[in-house]
Amino acid sequence: QVQLVESGGGLVQAGGSLRLSCAASGRTLSRNAMGWFRQAPGKEREIVASIAWTGTIIYYSDSVKGRFTISRDNAKNTMHLQMNSLKPEDTAVYYCAARKSGYWTNHRASEVDYWGKGTLVTVSS
């Protein structure tokens, strides 16, 4: 049974930074695609960034491109999201996600096989 646990969320002022982490347990996810999704109140869950098992195929949504950086450490079974230049519209619950496959196809929530419980990021203006 795969478990994903997020950490690093919190309250930050606009323009600030946060680093989210996702720790996987149950089995190694070194061959699995992983990613970060977020869900704001009243909105659908959306992809933020994804990374293939190789670590070399990376996707960012247009809204975070140039501000967020995704990375993974397969040796430690962890994934991170460095978030810089945060904006109030980045406020959401951020979820760690993983696939049974090593790659993403369309970066939709329906592709996800494993979810974390989420961590809240609040950006004040």
Side-chain angles (χ1 to χ4, degrees), residues 21-38:
S21 296
C22 173
S25 62
R27 67 174 183 86
T28 179
L29 295 184
S30 61
R31 297 285 184 174
N32 299 75
M34 299 185 73
W36 292 95
F37 285 72
R38 68 185 181 187

Side-chain angles (χ1 to χ4, degrees), residues 12-19 38 48 62-69 81-91 94 121-125:
V12 64
Q13 288 189 332
S17 299
L18 282 175
R19 186 173 188 252
R38 68 185 181 187
V48 174
D62 288 342
S63 60
V64 307
K65 201 173 296 182
R67 299 188 297 122
F68 291 10
T69 302
L81 184 68
Q82 178 66 42
M83 306 187 295
N84 298 329
S85 302
L86 283 161
K87 305 175 181 180
E89 51 263 44
D90 294 319
T91 295
Y94 284 70
V121 171
T122 303
V123 184
S124 63
S125 57

Side-chain angles (χ1 to χ4, degrees), residues 19 22 28-36 50-58 69-81 97-99 101-104:
R19 186 173 188 252
C22 173
T28 179
L29 295 184
S30 61
R31 297 285 184 174
N32 299 75
M34 299 185 73
W36 292 95
S50 71
I51 186 166
W53 75 275
T54 60
T56 58
I57 302 174
I58 291 175
T69 302
I70 189 172
S71 62
R72 65 188 297 165
D73 185 337
N74 286 339
K76 295 182 178 180
N77 225 17
T78 58
M79 178 180 63
H80 305 282
L81 184 68
R99 298 200 69 208
S101 169
Y103 300 94
W104 292 90

